[in-house]
Amino acid sequence: MRKIFQVIIIFQLLSLSFSQDEFFQPGYTIGGYGEMHWNRDFDSNDNETKNQLDFHRFIIYYSYNFTEAWSFKSEVELEHNYLEGGEETGELELEQAFINYHDDNWGFQGGVILPSIGLLNEYHEPALFLSVERPLYNKYIIPTTWFGNGFAFYGEMFGIKGRIALLEDLNGEDIGYGIRNARGKGFKTTAFNWTKNISLSYTEFPGMKLGVSYTVNDAPIDDDKNNSVNVSIVEMHAVYDAHHFHSVFEYGNIDYDNNPAEINSSSGYYFDLGYDISSHIGFNGKLMPWFRLSNVSRADSIDSKIEEISKVGITWWPIDQIVFKLDYGKSNLKSDQDNTTTQFNLGIGYHF
Amino acid sequence: MKYLIAIFFIFSVVIAGLVEETGDRIQILMGKSVIIEHQIIQIPDSIQSVISNIVKQNFFRDELHIWHITQGDSLTAIAILDNVVGKSMPITFFVIFTAQSQIQHVEIVKYRESYGGEIKSRRWLDQFIEKDASSDFLIGKDINGISGATISANSISHGVNKLTILTPWLMEVFKKMGK
């Protein structure tokens, strides 16, 4: 009996050492994405107010798979192609750098991670959204890309995917008409209150995704944990991408308590609808005319901070990793309905 | 004797990898009345090159695990186990083709990434059924996409497309082998 027990132990140890399957091999992967934009803006008198050709983003993705379960993943981003110091002359950011443990239906991440908030924060390659620039909603309501130091646990059950992330505090002194400038970006941040981010998504119907998230933080002002701005964000999103249609809806609301800008809330939405006409005209890849309706209210109580945007565009994916975009839009501030800004954008993007 | 039984039992557990699991799964899907025979087939470089150029995805390895499925004397289906690379990890999957080289079933055997696991959905994979070498496989056009799983969905779609083009060639190989 003792010998049988010894044999069992030996083979259990052997099975552990061979637990990698025959197709996995440790090693690294490199990927990336990038996008170049040409932006032209005109005021209501047709005067050109902006003419900018910009290689907006260049991202290198690097990961190393130690075992099937343990891996390291990272993304480094260079914005605006040139770096001198400060956002005005480009940015170099470590947007992701985390250790990932992944089992079949659950996992853990620790390091520089992304909160699961909105459609584009985690998945923002240019081929995944229609317009040349990311929607304004994803700049002022959900500041994409939002990244920071922290931990996350995720899992999936009955087709519902859930994730809980704990991240660094926001910088309370930089909260104002939104939280964009308050992101700590992993730079010597505090963790007095931790930013709590909880999300759920459902994708069991082919082509459809439904998601919600809730994020809350008492953001310390000047690193003083006894003087903070309470921020809570609720957002929901839906995507339908089937039968040649592509439709997206995102809505989000931020409530503040003790905001230095003395506002109580920001909110916004956008709705995109496009139709792939390529098969009707014998075009290679996908060719999609589309339109967008959007409202972005950086401060719900101040008309000069509320912007209405409408856009039309056409997007062409010759292959799924490359995209060409053209869009034309008009925007108005609620406080100045007669003054319309016209935007014309042209873009090219890729990912691999 | 007791030791030998124990060793045999435990060793069989240790070596039962994804290939063996796939064989068992194919037997369950096709029923007990069929005979399945596993073999590893080398794909010549010339064939790989032509298919890779059409699909724009390289083969994961030079050889593939194939199951030849017969009922009585006639070939009813073949199954192929293959891998594609997702964002950074291999995704292991198998496809069952009818004797007419049409897709009968697609299944993910192992998904190793933290993102994009939605492609395991039965409903999503069933979209490939009845496609053949003449079909298109573009995500968002011919196959409905999955937001948040775009890279994995594209990889699997290309992978299935690749095997769909390969299958008529495999059928010819089996014919020449007298199967």
Side-chain angles (χ1 to χ4, degrees):
Chain A
M1 191 64 198
R2 198 173 150 195
K3 284 191 176 173
I4 290 178
F5 184 70
Q6 287 170 342
V7 168
I8 289 172
I9 294 292
I10 289 165
F11 276 94
Q12 284 297 324
L13 290 171
L14 274 174
S15 70
L16 280 176
S17 64
F18 287 112
S19 61
Q20 307 299 332
D21 69 59
E22 52 269 63
F23 299 118
F24 172 83
Q25 286 186 325
Y28 64 85
T29 311
I30 293 175
Y33 71 88
E35 50 192 324
M36 185 176 76
H37 303 158
W38 183 32
N39 311 113
R40 295 183 72 190
D41 289 0
F42 301 87
D43 65 17
S44 51
N45 298 317
D46 284 339
N47 297 314
E48 193 169 44
T49 55
K50 182 180 184 183
N51 185 331
Q52 180 174 279
L53 185 62
D54 182 28
F55 201 98
H56 195 148
R57 296 183 178 91
F58 174 82
I59 281 84
I60 287 290
Y61 170 88
Y62 177 84
S63 76
Y64 189 84
N65 303 318
F66 305 102
T67 68
E68 279 196 318
W70 291 98
S71 61
F72 166 78
K73 299 183 195 306
S74 68
E75 264 189 25
V76 175
E77 172 167 341
L78 174 62
E79 284 199 2
H80 307 297
N81 202 39
Y82 175 74
L83 183 70
E84 191 173 277
E87 197 166 344
E88 296 303 311
T89 51
E91 288 180 84
L92 182 65
E93 294 169 338
L94 184 60
E95 279 200 351
Q96 297 185 59
F98 59 88
I99 293 292
N100 196 164
Y101 176 81
H102 181 74
D103 202 359
D104 265 357
N105 290 319
W106 68 278
F108 160 83
Q109 298 168 337
V112 183
I113 60 168
L114 309 175
S116 299
I117 183 165
L119 267 175
L120 296 185
N121 200 52
E122 291 174 285
Y123 313 103
H124 41 247
E125 288 84 351
L128 304 185
F129 55 93
L130 295 171
S131 50
V132 174
E133 297 289 347
R134 294 176 185 174
L136 207 62
Y137 169 89
N138 296 101
K139 184 173 183 182
Y140 292 125
I141 306 303
I142 309 297
T144 306
T145 306
W146 182 355
F147 59 92
N149 301 330
F151 307 93
F153 300 87
Y154 59 87
E156 187 187 343
M157 199 179 282
F158 310 121
I160 298 173
K161 199 171 170 184
R163 186 171 183 260
I164 297 174
L166 296 170
L167 294 104
E168 63 198 25
D169 295 320
L170 291 163
N171 295 321
E173 68 277 13
D174 294 321
I175 291 172
Y177 303 125
I179 58 166
R180 184 174 181 79
N181 295 332
R183 293 170 295 169
K185 300 187 175 183
F187 178 73
K188 297 179 180 176
T189 52
T190 64
F192 294 129
N193 183 254
W194 293 88
T195 301
K196 276 81 72 180
N197 165 246
I198 301 165
S199 63
L200 293 171
S201 65
Y202 184 73
T203 53
E204 274 298 292
F205 296 108
M208 182 175 279
K209 179 178 185 177
L210 303 170
V212 293
S213 74
Y214 176 67
T215 306
V216 63
N217 182 231
D218 278 331
I221 296 174
D222 296 326
D223 293 348
D224 179 0
K225 64 180 175 183
N226 297 314
N227 183 20
S228 61
V229 184
N230 178 265
V231 176
S232 63
I233 309 168
V234 176
E235 67 79 26
M236 59 191 74
H237 51 264
V239 184
Y240 182 74
D241 190 7
H243 306 297
H244 304 277
F245 282 100
H246 177 82
S247 183
V248 176
F249 177 73
E250 287 202 71
Y251 167 80
N253 182 82
I254 311 175
D255 281 325
Y256 312 97
D257 188 17
N258 197 31
N259 187 330
E262 297 182 340
I263 61 166
N264 294 321
S265 62
S266 306
S267 63
Y269 73 85
Y270 74 94
F271 170 72
D272 284 356
L273 181 62
Y275 185 81
D276 175 19
I277 58 171
S278 57
S279 39
H280 300 295
I281 59 172
F283 212 73
N284 280 334
K286 288 194 292 177
L287 183 69
M288 185 175 289
W290 54 270
F291 72 88
R292 169 176 300 157
L293 299 174
S294 178
N295 182 296
V296 174
S297 169
R298 298 172 64 191
D300 289 336
S301 55
I302 304 173
D303 284 355
S304 63
K305 297 294 176 192
I306 300 173
E307 191 169 353
E308 295 266 356
I309 305 118
S310 53
K311 255 184 202 300
V312 293
I314 190 154
T315 303
W316 175 43
W317 295 262
I319 58 173
D320 50 48
Q321 296 111 322
I322 292 177
V323 65
F324 294 86
K325 302 174 177 184
L326 172 69
D327 66 50
Y328 171 87
K330 301 226 175 241
S331 68
N332 283 93
L333 294 176
K334 194 176 177 185
S335 59
D336 190 6
Q337 300 277 7
D338 297 331
N339 209 350
T340 300
T341 300
T342 304
Q343 297 169 322
F344 168 84
N345 299 310
L346 199 63
I348 181 169
Y350 64 87
H351 72 261
F352 58 92
Chain B
M1 187 61 187
K2 279 188 289 186
Y3 305 143
L4 283 176
I5 291 168
I7 289 169
F8 179 78
F9 174 74
I10 296 161
F11 192 69
S12 65
V13 172
V14 170
I15 63 167
L18 294 182
V19 176
E20 288 75 12
E21 280 176 30
T22 304
D24 294 344
R25 180 72 184 134
I26 291 164
Q27 187 76 68
I28 290 167
L29 287 166
M30 299 303 290
K32 286 181 181 169
S33 60
V34 302
I35 294 168
I36 66 169
E37 187 186 334
H38 171 245
Q39 57 195 117
I40 295 172
I41 290 187
Q42 194 84 14
I43 312 299
D45 287 349
S46 56
I47 298 287
Q48 285 191 43
S49 170
V50 169
I51 296 175
S52 298
N53 279 330
I54 294 169
V55 179
K56 297 180 179 58
Q57 184 186 62
N58 291 328
F59 278 77
F60 187 77
R61 287 193 183 157
D62 292 339
E63 69 280 343
L64 287 170
H65 292 269
I66 317 273
W67 285 262
H68 183 259
I69 303 164
T70 51
Q71 190 158 32
D73 288 336
S74 60
L75 175 79
T76 56
I78 65 164
I80 309 173
L81 177 68
D82 197 7
N83 291 267
V84 289
V85 178
K87 195 161 183 178
S88 63
M89 293 267 200
I91 305 168
T92 308
F93 69 102
F94 72 88
V95 184
I96 301 176
F97 291 94
T98 66
Q100 291 73 42
S101 301
Q102 275 194 332
I103 293 175
Q104 183 177 338
H105 183 85
V106 181
E107 190 163 313
I108 305 297
V109 178
K110 191 151 195 180
Y111 191 83
R112 302 167 179 84
E113 300 269 10
S114 53
Y115 291 111
E118 293 89 344
I119 61 158
K120 292 184 287 183
S121 161
R122 184 75 266 139
R123 284 182 186 172
W124 188 76
L125 292 169
D126 282 350
Q127 295 180 94
F128 291 100
I129 290 173
E130 293 186 0
K131 286 193 177 289
D132 60 23
S134 64
S135 304
D136 292 319
F137 289 77
L138 194 60
I139 294 292
K141 186 173 178 180
D142 313 298
I143 301 287
N144 296 332
I146 304 178
S147 179
T150 308
I151 291 174
S152 300
N154 279 320
S155 291
I156 280 292
S157 183
H158 287 311
V160 174
N161 188 6
K162 218 165 52 191
L163 298 186
T164 308
I165 298 171
L166 179 72
T167 297
W169 175 80
L170 279 172
M171 293 292 187
E172 287 299 312
V173 171
F174 284 136
K175 256 189 212 167
K176 284 177 189 165
M177 290 165 73
K179 295 203 172 189

